[in-house]
Amino acid sequence: MTVAPQTDSQLSRRLQKDSITISGKVVYINPFLYWRRFDNNTDRWLREPGQLGEEQIHLNRARFYPEVDWTFLKDEERIIKDAAVEMFLKTLELIGTFHPDLNAGQLLEVERKMAITKKRSFERWVEKSFRKKINLASRERNRFARERFVRGWQEWLTLDTTHQAFLPFAAIIVMSIFGGWSIGISNNSCTPYFPTSETSILK
């Protein structure tokens, strides 16, 4: 009986983090909550980093990370935060598209709550996205290397020079096998046979 209220409470807290109420209207600040209204191009545009220009991202760094001195960041940290800035800009663009009635002051209120509650979420999201892209690229490189290896062997085996070099080698193997078999037969044929009685006498 207590499971449902706990679940509802968790969903309510989650929704409070992912939305803001303005003039009695709920505005989602989690961009993925708009996914039902996306087409494929919009979904790909949102999920893939690097869709916005570097200049636009650099101009908005201080807007979402006023506390960060970008000159002291490591390259990896800078890449993650730049991608998070891109997520902020994309989310604001989606909110403006799906809530065209919001005025500048209301959009600023939305932006402030996003900067407080979604910063770490966006950073985790882009980290996961980059890891996924790296893993896919690694698997693709491995697949390409395997295909190139197999293709190289196939091409080598079809060369005339390979056939010319392989035929004498194959002939040597066949002759060696036949020679070993012949020696084995001759050894067996030379083995003396003694009847049982003669064997006992010899002993």
Side-chain angles (χ1 to χ4, degrees), residues 97-130:
T97 300
F98 294 124
H99 299 281
D101 54 328
L102 295 177
N103 58 41
Q106 291 171 331
L107 286 173
L108 182 59
E109 187 177 350
V110 171
E111 180 179 322
R112 286 173 177 169
K113 181 167 183 179
M114 283 176 55
I116 295 172
T117 62
K118 306 308 294 181
K119 190 173 295 184
R120 186 59 192 135
S121 298
F122 285 165
E123 290 177 359
R124 285 196 299 266
W125 164 255
V126 296
E127 285 176 347
K128 185 185 298 184
S129 178
F130 282 134

PDB file of all heavy atoms in Angstrom, residues 97-130:
ATOM      1  N   THR A  97      10.477  27.309 -28.862  1.00  0.00           N
ATOM      2  CA  THR A  97       9.654  26.782 -29.959  1.00  0.00           C
ATOM      3  C   THR A  97       8.324  26.239 -29.453  1.00  0.00           C
ATOM      4  O   THR A  97       7.265  26.505 -30.043  1.00  0.00           O
ATOM      5  CB  THR A  97      10.423  25.670 -30.702  1.00  0.00           C
ATOM      6  OG1 THR A  97      11.633  26.209 -31.245  1.00  0.00           O
ATOM      7  CG2 THR A  97       9.582  25.081 -31.822  1.00  0.00           C
ATOM      8  N   PHE A  98       8.368  25.479 -28.351  1.00  0.00           N
ATOM      9  CA  PHE A  98       7.151  24.843 -27.842  1.00  0.00           C
ATOM     10  C   PHE A  98       6.352  25.743 -26.900  1.00  0.00           C
ATOM     11  O   PHE A  98       5.203  25.422 -26.576  1.00  0.00           O
ATOM     12  CB  PHE A  98       7.513  23.537 -27.135  1.00  0.00           C
ATOM     13  CG  PHE A  98       8.080  22.488 -28.054  1.00  0.00           C
ATOM     14  CD1 PHE A  98       9.317  21.916 -27.800  1.00  0.00           C
ATOM     15  CD2 PHE A  98       7.381  22.086 -29.180  1.00  0.00           C
ATOM     16  CE1 PHE A  98       9.842  20.952 -28.646  1.00  0.00           C
ATOM     17  CE2 PHE A  98       7.899  21.123 -30.035  1.00  0.00           C
ATOM     18  CZ  PHE A  98       9.137  20.551 -29.774  1.00  0.00           C
ATOM     19  N   HIS A  99       6.966  26.845 -26.461  1.00  0.00           N
ATOM     20  CA  HIS A  99       6.258  27.812 -25.602  1.00  0.00           C
ATOM     21  C   HIS A  99       6.486  29.223 -26.154  1.00  0.00           C
ATOM     22  O   HIS A  99       7.148  30.058 -25.523  1.00  0.00           O
ATOM     23  CB  HIS A  99       6.756  27.717 -24.158  1.00  0.00           C
ATOM     24  CG  HIS A  99       6.543  26.379 -23.526  1.00  0.00           C
ATOM     25  ND1 HIS A  99       5.330  25.971 -23.016  1.00  0.00           N
ATOM     26  CD2 HIS A  99       7.405  25.340 -23.331  1.00  0.00           C
ATOM     27  CE1 HIS A  99       5.448  24.751 -22.521  1.00  0.00           C
ATOM     28  NE2 HIS A  99       6.690  24.347 -22.707  1.00  0.00           N
ATOM     29  N   PRO A 100       5.942  29.511 -27.308  1.00  0.00           N
ATOM     30  CA  PRO A 100       6.191  30.819 -27.932  1.00  0.00           C
ATOM     31  C   PRO A 100       5.568  31.990 -27.173  1.00  0.00           C
ATOM     32  O   PRO A 100       5.909  33.150 -27.443  1.00  0.00           O
ATOM     33  CB  PRO A 100       5.557  30.662 -29.324  1.00  0.00           C
ATOM     34  CG  PRO A 100       4.513  29.602 -29.148  1.00  0.00           C
ATOM     35  CD  PRO A 100       5.061  28.659 -28.123  1.00  0.00           C
ATOM     36  N   ASP A 101       4.684  31.700 -26.221  1.00  0.00           N
ATOM     37  CA  ASP A 101       4.020  32.764 -25.478  1.00  0.00           C
ATOM     38  C   ASP A 101       4.865  33.292 -24.318  1.00  0.00           C
ATOM     39  O   ASP A 101       4.497  34.287 -23.685  1.00  0.00           O
ATOM     40  CB  ASP A 101       2.676  32.262 -24.935  1.00  0.00           C
ATOM     41  CG  ASP A 101       2.817  30.979 -24.123  1.00  0.00           C
ATOM     42  OD1 ASP A 101       3.717  30.170 -24.459  1.00  0.00           O
ATOM     43  OD2 ASP A 101       2.039  30.777 -23.175  1.00  0.00           O
ATOM     44  N   LEU A 102       5.995  32.656 -24.014  1.00  0.00           N
ATOM     45  CA  LEU A 102       6.845  33.135 -22.922  1.00  0.00           C
ATOM     46  C   LEU A 102       7.549  34.424 -23.335  1.00  0.00           C
ATOM     47  O   LEU A 102       8.109  34.513 -24.431  1.00  0.00           O
ATOM     48  CB  LEU A 102       7.885  32.073 -22.547  1.00  0.00           C
ATOM     49  CG  LEU A 102       7.356  30.752 -21.965  1.00  0.00           C
ATOM     50  CD1 LEU A 102       8.513  29.786 -21.719  1.00  0.00           C
ATOM     51  CD2 LEU A 102       6.580  30.996 -20.677  1.00  0.00           C
ATOM     52  N   ASN A 103       7.539  35.407 -22.432  1.00  0.00           N
ATOM     53  CA  ASN A 103       8.237  36.657 -22.734  1.00  0.00           C
ATOM     54  C   ASN A 103       9.694  36.574 -22.281  1.00  0.00           C
ATOM     55  O   ASN A 103      10.130  35.558 -21.722  1.00  0.00           O
ATOM     56  CB  ASN A 103       7.520  37.848 -22.086  1.00  0.00           C
ATOM     57  CG  ASN A 103       7.405  37.696 -20.573  1.00  0.00           C
ATOM     58  OD1 ASN A 103       8.344  37.257 -19.905  1.00  0.00           O
ATOM     59  ND2 ASN A 103       6.242  38.068 -20.019  1.00  0.00           N
ATOM     60  N   ALA A 104      10.446  37.639 -22.497  1.00  0.00           N
ATOM     61  CA  ALA A 104      11.879  37.634 -22.201  1.00  0.00           C
ATOM     62  C   ALA A 104      12.146  37.401 -20.717  1.00  0.00           C
ATOM     63  O   ALA A 104      13.069  36.660 -20.345  1.00  0.00           O
ATOM     64  CB  ALA A 104      12.508  38.952 -22.657  1.00  0.00           C
ATOM     65  N   GLY A 105      11.351  38.019 -19.851  1.00  0.00           N
ATOM     66  CA  GLY A 105      11.542  37.839 -18.417  1.00  0.00           C
ATOM     67  C   GLY A 105      11.275  36.410 -17.980  1.00  0.00           C
ATOM     68  O   GLY A 105      11.994  35.858 -17.136  1.00  0.00           O
ATOM     69  N   GLN A 106      10.259  35.802 -18.541  1.00  0.00           N
ATOM     70  CA  GLN A 106       9.937  34.414 -18.199  1.00  0.00           C
ATOM     71  C   GLN A 106      11.010  33.459 -18.719  1.00  0.00           C
ATOM     72  O   GLN A 106      11.378  32.499 -18.041  1.00  0.00           O
ATOM     73  CB  GLN A 106       8.563  34.056 -18.764  1.00  0.00           C
ATOM     74  CG  GLN A 106       7.416  34.786 -18.074  1.00  0.00           C
ATOM     75  CD  GLN A 106       6.096  34.594 -18.785  1.00  0.00           C
ATOM     76  OE1 GLN A 106       6.044  34.396 -20.010  1.00  0.00           O
ATOM     77  NE2 GLN A 106       4.992  34.676 -18.037  1.00  0.00           N
ATOM     78  N   LEU A 107      11.513  33.719 -19.914  1.00  0.00           N
ATOM     79  CA  LEU A 107      12.596  32.891 -20.444  1.00  0.00           C
ATOM     80  C   LEU A 107      13.853  33.011 -19.590  1.00  0.00           C
ATOM     81  O   LEU A 107      14.585  32.035 -19.393  1.00  0.00           O
ATOM     82  CB  LEU A 107      12.903  33.285 -21.891  1.00  0.00           C
ATOM     83  CG  LEU A 107      11.876  32.845 -22.937  1.00  0.00           C
ATOM     84  CD1 LEU A 107      12.214  33.446 -24.294  1.00  0.00           C
ATOM     85  CD2 LEU A 107      11.821  31.319 -23.031  1.00  0.00           C
ATOM     86  N   LEU A 108      14.099  34.208 -19.070  1.00  0.00           N
ATOM     87  CA  LEU A 108      15.245  34.397 -18.186  1.00  0.00           C
ATOM     88  C   LEU A 108      15.064  33.602 -16.893  1.00  0.00           C
ATOM     89  O   LEU A 108      16.020  33.017 -16.372  1.00  0.00           O
ATOM     90  CB  LEU A 108      15.427  35.878 -17.872  1.00  0.00           C
ATOM     91  CG  LEU A 108      16.631  36.238 -16.984  1.00  0.00           C
ATOM     92  CD1 LEU A 108      17.931  35.789 -17.635  1.00  0.00           C
ATOM     93  CD2 LEU A 108      16.653  37.745 -16.709  1.00  0.00           C
ATOM     94  N   GLU A 109      13.842  33.547 -16.395  1.00  0.00           N
ATOM     95  CA  GLU A 109      13.549  32.750 -15.203  1.00  0.00           C
ATOM     96  C   GLU A 109      13.787  31.267 -15.472  1.00  0.00           C
ATOM     97  O   GLU A 109      14.337  30.547 -14.627  1.00  0.00           O
ATOM     98  CB  GLU A 109      12.101  32.994 -14.774  1.00  0.00           C
ATOM     99  CG  GLU A 109      11.729  32.359 -13.447  1.00  0.00           C
ATOM    100  CD  GLU A 109      10.305  32.695 -13.036  1.00  0.00           C
ATOM    101  OE1 GLU A 109       9.679  33.561 -13.683  1.00  0.00           O
ATOM    102  OE2 GLU A 109       9.815  32.077 -12.065  1.00  0.00           O
ATOM    103  N   VAL A 110      13.371  30.821 -16.642  1.00  0.00           N
ATOM    104  CA  VAL A 110      13.613  29.431 -17.041  1.00  0.00           C
ATOM    105  C   VAL A 110      15.110  29.158 -17.116  1.00  0.00           C
ATOM    106  O   VAL A 110      15.606  28.142 -16.617  1.00  0.00           O
ATOM    107  CB  VAL A 110      12.947  29.141 -18.404  1.00  0.00           C
ATOM    108  CG1 VAL A 110      13.385  27.778 -18.930  1.00  0.00           C
ATOM    109  CG2 VAL A 110      11.433  29.200 -18.282  1.00  0.00           C
ATOM    110  N   GLU A 111      15.829  30.076 -17.715  1.00  0.00           N
ATOM    111  CA  GLU A 111      17.277  29.901 -17.877  1.00  0.00           C
ATOM    112  C   GLU A 111      17.984  29.825 -16.528  1.00  0.00           C
ATOM    113  O   GLU A 111      18.904  29.017 -16.347  1.00  0.00           O
ATOM    114  CB  GLU A 111      17.829  31.057 -18.702  1.00  0.00           C
ATOM    115  CG  GLU A 111      19.323  30.988 -18.940  1.00  0.00           C
ATOM    116  CD  GLU A 111      19.816  32.141 -19.784  1.00  0.00           C
ATOM    117  OE1 GLU A 111      19.094  32.545 -20.724  1.00  0.00           O
ATOM    118  OE2 GLU A 111      20.925  32.649 -19.507  1.00  0.00           O
ATOM    119  N   ARG A 112      17.566  30.637 -15.585  1.00  0.00           N
ATOM    120  CA  ARG A 112      18.203  30.631 -14.265  1.00  0.00           C
ATOM    121  C   ARG A 112      18.002  29.298 -13.558  1.00  0.00           C
ATOM    122  O   ARG A 112      18.929  28.762 -12.947  1.00  0.00           O
ATOM    123  CB  ARG A 112      17.637  31.774 -13.420  1.00  0.00           C
ATOM    124  CG  ARG A 112      18.149  33.152 -13.821  1.00  0.00           C
ATOM    125  CD  ARG A 112      17.427  34.245 -13.071  1.00  0.00           C
ATOM    126  NE  ARG A 112      17.958  35.566 -13.408  1.00  0.00           N
ATOM    127  CZ  ARG A 112      17.378  36.710 -13.055  1.00  0.00           C
ATOM    128  NH1 ARG A 112      16.239  36.694 -12.354  1.00  0.00           N
ATOM    129  NH2 ARG A 112      17.921  37.862 -13.398  1.00  0.00           N
ATOM    130  N   LYS A 113      16.784  28.769 -13.635  1.00  0.00           N
ATOM    131  CA  LYS A 113      16.557  27.472 -12.988  1.00  0.00           C
ATOM    132  C   LYS A 113      17.339  26.376 -13.694  1.00  0.00           C
ATOM    133  O   LYS A 113      17.879  25.463 -13.044  1.00  0.00           O
ATOM    134  CB  LYS A 113      15.070  27.122 -12.972  1.00  0.00           C
ATOM    135  CG  LYS A 113      14.829  25.781 -12.264  1.00  0.00           C
ATOM    136  CD  LYS A 113      13.391  25.499 -11.939  1.00  0.00           C
ATOM    137  CE  LYS A 113      13.274  24.183 -11.168  1.00  0.00           C
ATOM    138  NZ  LYS A 113      11.879  23.864 -10.810  1.00  0.00           N
ATOM    139  N   MET A 114      17.427  26.443 -15.002  1.00  0.00           N
ATOM    140  CA  MET A 114      18.220  25.461 -15.739  1.00  0.00           C
ATOM    141  C   MET A 114      19.676  25.496 -15.292  1.00  0.00           C
ATOM    142  O   MET A 114      20.303  24.448 -15.072  1.00  0.00           O
ATOM    143  CB  MET A 114      18.142  25.736 -17.245  1.00  0.00           C
ATOM    144  CG  MET A 114      16.862  25.293 -17.908  1.00  0.00           C
ATOM    145  SD  MET A 114      16.851  25.769 -19.653  1.00  0.00           S
ATOM    146  CE  MET A 114      18.369  25.029 -20.220  1.00  0.00           C
ATOM    147  N   ALA A 115      20.227  26.698 -15.158  1.00  0.00           N
ATOM    148  CA  ALA A 115      21.632  26.836 -14.776  1.00  0.00           C
ATOM    149  C   ALA A 115      21.895  26.256 -13.392  1.00  0.00           C
ATOM    150  O   ALA A 115      22.998  25.773 -13.110  1.00  0.00           O
ATOM    151  CB  ALA A 115      22.042  28.303 -14.824  1.00  0.00           C
ATOM    152  N   ILE A 116      20.885  26.274 -12.533  1.00  0.00           N
ATOM    153  CA  ILE A 116      21.049  25.761 -11.169  1.00  0.00           C
ATOM    154  C   ILE A 116      20.854  24.251 -11.107  1.00  0.00           C
ATOM    155  O   ILE A 116      21.629  23.537 -10.462  1.00  0.00           O
ATOM    156  CB  ILE A 116      20.051  26.460 -10.215  1.00  0.00           C
ATOM    157  CG1 ILE A 116      20.382  27.951 -10.106  1.00  0.00           C
ATOM    158  CG2 ILE A 116      20.072  25.814  -8.836  1.00  0.00           C
ATOM    159  CD1 ILE A 116      19.343  28.750  -9.343  1.00  0.00           C
ATOM    160  N   THR A 117      19.839  23.747 -11.791  1.00  0.00           N
ATOM    161  CA  THR A 117      19.434  22.349 -11.604  1.00  0.00           C
ATOM    162  C   THR A 117      19.914  21.393 -12.695  1.00  0.00           C
ATOM    163  O   THR A 117      19.998  20.184 -12.453  1.00  0.00           O
ATOM    164  CB  THR A 117      17.901  22.252 -11.527  1.00  0.00           C
ATOM    165  OG1 THR A 117      17.340  22.706 -12.770  1.00  0.00           O
ATOM    166  CG2 THR A 117      17.365  23.102 -10.386  1.00  0.00           C
ATOM    167  N   LYS A 118      20.227  21.886 -13.889  1.00  0.00           N
ATOM    168  CA  LYS A 118      20.507  20.976 -14.998  1.00  0.00           C
ATOM    169  C   LYS A 118      21.970  20.935 -15.409  1.00  0.00           C
ATOM    170  O   LYS A 118      22.342  20.164 -16.300  1.00  0.00           O
ATOM    171  CB  LYS A 118      19.668  21.354 -16.228  1.00  0.00           C
ATOM    172  CG  LYS A 118      18.179  21.450 -15.988  1.00  0.00           C
ATOM    173  CD  LYS A 118      17.616  20.215 -15.320  1.00  0.00           C
ATOM    174  CE  LYS A 118      17.699  18.986 -16.189  1.00  0.00           C
ATOM    175  NZ  LYS A 118      17.114  17.794 -15.498  1.00  0.00           N
ATOM    176  N   LYS A 119      22.799  21.718 -14.766  1.00  0.00           N
ATOM    177  CA  LYS A 119      24.199  21.807 -15.198  1.00  0.00           C
ATOM    178  C   LYS A 119      24.888  20.443 -15.132  1.00  0.00           C
ATOM    179  O   LYS A 119      25.479  19.973 -16.110  1.00  0.00           O
ATOM    180  CB  LYS A 119      24.935  22.834 -14.335  1.00  0.00           C
ATOM    181  CG  LYS A 119      26.325  23.190 -14.831  1.00  0.00           C
ATOM    182  CD  LYS A 119      26.903  24.336 -14.012  1.00  0.00           C
ATOM    183  CE  LYS A 119      26.101  25.602 -14.207  1.00  0.00           C
ATOM    184  NZ  LYS A 119      26.687  26.755 -13.491  1.00  0.00           N
ATOM    185  N   ARG A 120      24.826  19.813 -13.973  1.00  0.00           N
ATOM    186  CA  ARG A 120      25.489  18.515 -13.821  1.00  0.00           C
ATOM    187  C   ARG A 120      24.807  17.444 -14.669  1.00  0.00           C
ATOM    188  O   ARG A 120      25.467  16.551 -15.207  1.00  0.00           O
ATOM    189  CB  ARG A 120      25.492  18.108 -12.343  1.00  0.00           C
ATOM    190  CG  ARG A 120      26.287  16.848 -12.063  1.00  0.00           C
ATOM    191  CD  ARG A 120      27.734  17.001 -12.474  1.00  0.00           C
ATOM    192  NE  ARG A 120      28.447  15.719 -12.473  1.00  0.00           N
ATOM    193  CZ  ARG A 120      29.255  15.325 -13.422  1.00  0.00           C
ATOM    194  NH1 ARG A 120      29.475  16.099 -14.477  1.00  0.00           N
ATOM    195  NH2 ARG A 120      29.870  14.167 -13.344  1.00  0.00           N
ATOM    196  N   SER A 121      23.498  17.531 -14.805  1.00  0.00           N
ATOM    197  CA  SER A 121      22.777  16.556 -15.636  1.00  0.00           C
ATOM    198  C   SER A 121      23.233  16.630 -17.086  1.00  0.00           C
ATOM    199  O   SER A 121      23.448  15.600 -17.736  1.00  0.00           O
ATOM    200  CB  SER A 121      21.268  16.809 -15.547  1.00  0.00           C
ATOM    201  OG  SER A 121      20.799  16.642 -14.235  1.00  0.00           O
ATOM    202  N   PHE A 122      23.379  17.841 -17.596  1.00  0.00           N
ATOM    203  CA  PHE A 122      23.835  17.999 -18.972  1.00  0.00           C
ATOM    204  C   PHE A 122      25.270  17.494 -19.137  1.00  0.00           C
ATOM    205  O   PHE A 122      25.610  16.885 -20.158  1.00  0.00           O
ATOM    206  CB  PHE A 122      23.742  19.463 -19.392  1.00  0.00           C
ATOM    207  CG  PHE A 122      22.337  19.928 -19.665  1.00  0.00           C
ATOM    208  CD1 PHE A 122      22.045  21.281 -19.741  1.00  0.00           C
ATOM    209  CD2 PHE A 122      21.306  19.029 -19.845  1.00  0.00           C
ATOM    210  CE1 PHE A 122      20.749  21.723 -19.997  1.00  0.00           C
ATOM    211  CE2 PHE A 122      20.005  19.452 -20.096  1.00  0.00           C
ATOM    212  CZ  PHE A 122      19.730  20.807 -20.172  1.00  0.00           C
ATOM    213  N   GLU A 123      26.111  17.748 -18.143  1.00  0.00           N
ATOM    214  CA  GLU A 123      27.495  17.274 -18.221  1.00  0.00           C
ATOM    215  C   GLU A 123      27.544  15.752 -18.241  1.00  0.00           C
ATOM    216  O   GLU A 123      28.305  15.149 -19.012  1.00  0.00           O
ATOM    217  CB  GLU A 123      28.307  17.819 -17.050  1.00  0.00           C
ATOM    218  CG  GLU A 123      28.567  19.318 -17.127  1.00  0.00           C
ATOM    219  CD  GLU A 123      29.304  19.843 -15.911  1.00  0.00           C
ATOM    220  OE1 GLU A 123      29.589  19.032 -14.998  1.00  0.00           O
ATOM    221  OE2 GLU A 123      29.595  21.053 -15.858  1.00  0.00           O
ATOM    222  N   ARG A 124      26.738  15.107 -17.395  1.00  0.00           N
ATOM    223  CA  ARG A 124      26.701  13.635 -17.402  1.00  0.00           C
ATOM    224  C   ARG A 124      26.185  13.113 -18.732  1.00  0.00           C
ATOM    225  O   ARG A 124      26.668  12.100 -19.245  1.00  0.00           O
ATOM    226  CB  ARG A 124      25.822  13.124 -16.253  1.00  0.00           C
ATOM    227  CG  ARG A 124      26.467  13.220 -14.887  1.00  0.00           C
ATOM    228  CD  ARG A 124      25.727  12.348 -13.878  1.00  0.00           C
ATOM    229  NE  ARG A 124      24.350  12.771 -13.714  1.00  0.00           N
ATOM    230  CZ  ARG A 124      23.929  13.616 -12.778  1.00  0.00           C
ATOM    231  NH1 ARG A 124      24.799  14.119 -11.915  1.00  0.00           N
ATOM    232  NH2 ARG A 124      22.657  13.947 -12.680  1.00  0.00           N
ATOM    233  N   TRP A 125      25.191  13.795 -19.284  1.00  0.00           N
ATOM    234  CA  TRP A 125      24.631  13.345 -20.554  1.00  0.00           C
ATOM    235  C   TRP A 125      25.671  13.401 -21.670  1.00  0.00           C
ATOM    236  O   TRP A 125      25.824  12.452 -22.441  1.00  0.00           O
ATOM    237  CB  TRP A 125      23.419  14.190 -20.920  1.00  0.00           C
ATOM    238  CG  TRP A 125      23.038  14.044 -22.362  1.00  0.00           C
ATOM    239  CD1 TRP A 125      23.251  14.935 -23.370  1.00  0.00           C
ATOM    240  CD2 TRP A 125      22.430  12.909 -22.983  1.00  0.00           C
ATOM    241  NE1 TRP A 125      22.808  14.437 -24.565  1.00  0.00           N
ATOM    242  CE2 TRP A 125      22.305  13.189 -24.358  1.00  0.00           C
ATOM    243  CE3 TRP A 125      21.986  11.686 -22.494  1.00  0.00           C
ATOM    244  CZ2 TRP A 125      21.739  12.297 -25.246  1.00  0.00           C
ATOM    245  CZ3 TRP A 125      21.426  10.780 -23.394  1.00  0.00           C
ATOM    246  CH2 TRP A 125      21.302  11.094 -24.744  1.00  0.00           C
ATOM    247  N   VAL A 126      26.401  14.509 -21.769  1.00  0.00           N
ATOM    248  CA  VAL A 126      27.372  14.632 -22.861  1.00  0.00           C
ATOM    249  C   VAL A 126      28.558  13.689 -22.643  1.00  0.00           C
ATOM    250  O   VAL A 126      29.130  13.181 -23.617  1.00  0.00           O
ATOM    251  CB  VAL A 126      27.841  16.093 -23.031  1.00  0.00           C
ATOM    252  CG1 VAL A 126      26.682  16.977 -23.439  1.00  0.00           C
ATOM    253  CG2 VAL A 126      28.495  16.635 -21.777  1.00  0.00           C
ATOM    254  N   GLU A 127      28.922  13.441 -21.383  1.00  0.00           N
ATOM    255  CA  GLU A 127      29.976  12.456 -21.116  1.00  0.00           C
ATOM    256  C   GLU A 127      29.562  11.084 -21.637  1.00  0.00           C
ATOM    257  O   GLU A 127      30.344  10.382 -22.281  1.00  0.00           O
ATOM    258  CB  GLU A 127      30.257  12.379 -19.613  1.00  0.00           C
ATOM    259  CG  GLU A 127      31.058  13.548 -19.063  1.00  0.00           C
ATOM    260  CD  GLU A 127      31.226  13.476 -17.561  1.00  0.00           C
ATOM    261  OE1 GLU A 127      30.525  12.660 -16.926  1.00  0.00           O
ATOM    262  OE2 GLU A 127      32.050  14.223 -17.020  1.00  0.00           O
ATOM    263  N   LYS A 128      28.326  10.705 -21.347  1.00  0.00           N
ATOM    264  CA  LYS A 128      27.820   9.418 -21.827  1.00  0.00           C
ATOM    265  C   LYS A 128      27.771   9.389 -23.355  1.00  0.00           C
ATOM    266  O   LYS A 128      28.103   8.373 -23.981  1.00  0.00           O
ATOM    267  CB  LYS A 128      26.427   9.175 -21.250  1.00  0.00           C
ATOM    268  CG  LYS A 128      25.844   7.810 -21.572  1.00  0.00           C
ATOM    269  CD  LYS A 128      24.411   7.701 -21.074  1.00  0.00           C
ATOM    270  CE  LYS A 128      24.335   7.840 -19.576  1.00  0.00           C
ATOM    271  NZ  LYS A 128      22.944   7.649 -19.070  1.00  0.00           N
ATOM    272  N   SER A 129      27.373  10.498 -23.947  1.00  0.00           N
ATOM    273  CA  SER A 129      27.301  10.571 -25.402  1.00  0.00           C
ATOM    274  C   SER A 129      28.674  10.426 -26.035  1.00  0.00           C
ATOM    275  O   SER A 129      28.845   9.711 -27.032  1.00  0.00           O
ATOM    276  CB  SER A 129      26.666  11.903 -25.820  1.00  0.00           C
ATOM    277  OG  SER A 129      26.617  12.023 -27.227  1.00  0.00           O
ATOM    278  N   PHE A 130      29.677  11.083 -25.453  1.00  0.00           N
ATOM    279  CA  PHE A 130      31.040  10.978 -25.979  1.00  0.00           C
ATOM    280  C   PHE A 130      31.578   9.559 -25.828  1.00  0.00           C
ATOM    281  O   PHE A 130      32.238   9.039 -26.734  1.00  0.00           O
ATOM    282  CB  PHE A 130      31.963  11.966 -25.268  1.00  0.00           C
ATOM    283  CG  PHE A 130      31.818  13.384 -25.750  1.00  0.00           C
ATOM    284  CD1 PHE A 130      31.724  14.429 -24.846  1.00  0.00           C
ATOM    285  CD2 PHE A 130      31.783  13.678 -27.098  1.00  0.00           C
ATOM    286  CE1 PHE A 130      31.591  15.740 -25.284  1.00  0.00           C
ATOM    287  CE2 PHE A 130      31.649  14.985 -27.551  1.00  0.00           C
ATOM    288  CZ  PHE A 130      31.555  16.023 -26.636  1.00  0.00           C
TER     289      PHE A 130
END
